[in-house]
Amino acid sequence: MSPYKISSFLVLLLFYINTLVPSEGVNLAASDLADKLKLSPSAAAGDVVNSPVFKPAVNSLFSLNLLSFPEDLEISNYCIELLKIFGQRYVTYVDCLVLAARPVKVCQNCFSSYGSLTEIYQNISSDQMGPGNVSCRDSLLRSDRLMLVYLLNANLDDIWEKSNCHNCITEGFQSLTNDTLYFMSTVNQTLSCFEKYQHGNKTELCTDCKSTYRGLNELYGRMEQNQTMCIDIEDSMNMTRRLWSKNFNCSFPREETVPVIAVSSFMLFLPIIFYLSSFLHSEQKKRKLIHPKRAKSYASLMNIQDKLS
């Protein structure tokens, strides 16, 4: 090999070695960092904190290990205790709602837990001062944009209002109203009659349970008219009607529907009666209008004949 070729080969070899050295150094540094992260995450985090890239300000007002706000911004122990009690009662009421979802018994099963939740929320939202002249309304309800405590309570209040539970529960959340208790008793009587015959002859069920079921329907109609119903009563009545009509294929006898058919027929014939009476009345008016004209023309004709004669 000639000296020129040897020198060219050496130059290329040196150039190739120089290009490899920096990349290997980077790879080694990256692998070392990965090994550090695998072996000790805390040590790696310490390296990141101590690195020149991420360095907290030495004279910063709040350090990274901040555990509490200044005393004037902290919530009092009294308010924290109220918040804990609110959370416990909130969970109790929500658990009751879930279990009472089907069949719907949210009013009769959960009115006590809702009353307890309402009581603690009134304490939180009250203007009255607690121990140490502390009011928790601003610190727990209005201290942030979300107002989480207020929002949670409002959602449960909305469920209570939409269920119309106030129609079935006495004031102070003491017990069910007398009307509600009587309706539930009537429903139980009807269901007991259904259970007595449901495995036997369905014709006997429709006959023997007819009076009880009809009384339940009449009671439901009165409560609906007086607006003393809640969602529990509506749901129990709908389920009872479904059993009567669909499961047992029962219906009231035809003679009981005669008044309904008669009223419906009368309503259908009302337009015919109206137009017929209008037509007869208009014909009578025409006759009254034509008769005086004939009489007048006859009188004028007689006068002309008298003059000619």
Side-chain angles (χ1 to χ4, degrees):
M1 182 179 294
S2 63
Y4 177 77
K5 291 183 178 181
I6 292 174
S7 60
S8 300
F9 176 77
L10 292 175
V11 171
L12 292 174
L13 181 61
L14 291 174
F15 180 78
Y16 180 74
I17 291 173
N18 290 330
T19 57
L20 289 177
V21 170
S23 62
E24 289 177 355
V26 174
N27 292 335
L28 288 174
S31 62
D32 291 341
L33 181 58
D35 293 337
K36 288 183 179 180
L37 291 176
K38 291 181 181 179
L39 294 176
S40 178
S42 59
D47 292 339
V48 173
V49 173
N50 295 326
S51 67
V53 177
F54 180 81
K55 182 178 291 184
V58 178
N59 297 325
S60 176
L61 179 62
F62 298 105
S63 61
L64 291 177
N65 58 351
L66 180 65
L67 297 179
S68 60
F69 289 99
E71 293 183 358
D72 57 340
L73 296 179
E74 290 183 348
I75 302 175
S76 66
N77 293 330
Y78 171 71
C79 297
I80 292 176
E81 289 299 322
L82 288 182
L83 187 61
K84 290 180 179 178
I85 297 173
F86 176 83
Q88 295 170 357
R89 296 184 181 182
Y90 187 93
V91 172
T92 301
Y93 180 55
V94 171
D95 288 342
C96 182
L97 289 179
V98 173
L99 296 177
R102 293 302 307 161
V104 181
K105 296 181 180 180
V106 297
C107 300
Q108 54 186 316
N109 288 359
C110 305
F111 71 89
S112 178
S113 57
Y114 178 76
S116 299
L117 180 65
T118 302
E119 179 183 6
I120 192 64
Y121 183 79
Q122 289 176 352
N123 291 336
I124 293 175
S125 59
S126 176
D127 291 333
Q128 297 179 357
M129 299 295 181
N133 294 328
V134 176
S135 176
C136 302
R137 183 182 63 179
D138 294 334
S139 60
L140 296 181
L141 300 182
R142 301 179 179 179
S143 60
D144 56 85
R145 178 179 62 83
L146 183 59
M147 298 189 298
L148 184 58
V149 176
Y150 170 80
L151 188 62
L152 291 173
N153 187 78
N155 290 336
L156 295 187
D157 282 344
D158 187 55
I159 294 175
W160 183 266
E161 292 297 326
K162 288 182 178 179
S163 301
N164 292 325
C165 289
H166 55 276
N167 291 333
C168 295
I169 308 300
T170 59
E171 294 184 2
F173 308 99
Q174 298 297 322
S175 63
L176 297 174
T177 61
N178 294 330
D179 292 341
T180 304
L181 292 173
Y182 182 70
F183 180 85
M184 294 301 176
S185 176
T186 308
V187 170
N188 290 334
Q189 293 178 5
T190 306
L191 295 179
S192 298
C193 186
F194 289 171
E195 292 178 357
K196 183 178 179 181
Y197 296 99
Q198 65 178 349
H199 299 296
N201 190 351
K202 301 298 177 60
T203 305
E204 294 181 358
L205 184 149
C206 299
T207 303
D208 294 344
C209 301
K210 179 184 65 176
S211 59
T212 305
Y213 178 75
R214 181 170 54 188
L216 179 64
N217 271 283
E218 293 175 354
L219 176 61
Y220 181 81
R222 291 194 299 268
M223 296 184 71
E224 186 177 19
Q225 184 177 3
N226 298 331
Q227 296 182 353
T228 57
M229 295 189 311
C230 58
I231 188 62
D232 296 16
I233 294 177
E234 294 179 22
D235 186 71
S236 60
M237 190 67 217
N238 290 336
M239 295 179 65
T240 307
R241 286 175 173 174
R242 193 178 304 124
L243 286 174
W244 175 264
S245 59
K246 292 185 178 180
N247 291 49
F248 304 137
N249 198 22
C250 296
S251 61
F252 289 114
R254 180 171 297 180
E255 59 268 14
E256 297 184 5
T257 62
V258 170
V260 178
I261 296 175
V263 173
S264 301
S265 301
F266 177 75
M267 296 299 293
L268 289 175
F269 281 102
L270 271 180
I272 300 175
I273 298 173
F274 173 76
Y275 286 115
L276 183 61
S277 60
S278 299
F279 176 76
L280 296 176
H281 186 67
S282 62
E283 288 294 330
Q284 187 176 4
K285 279 188 174 181
K286 287 181 180 180
R287 291 177 182 177
K288 289 182 179 180
L289 292 173
I290 292 173
H291 181 72
K293 291 182 180 179
R294 291 180 179 178
K296 186 176 181 180
S297 61
Y298 179 77
S300 61
L301 181 61
M302 292 299 294
N303 291 330
I304 293 172
Q305 290 179 355
D306 291 339
K307 290 180 180 179
L308 292 175
S309 61

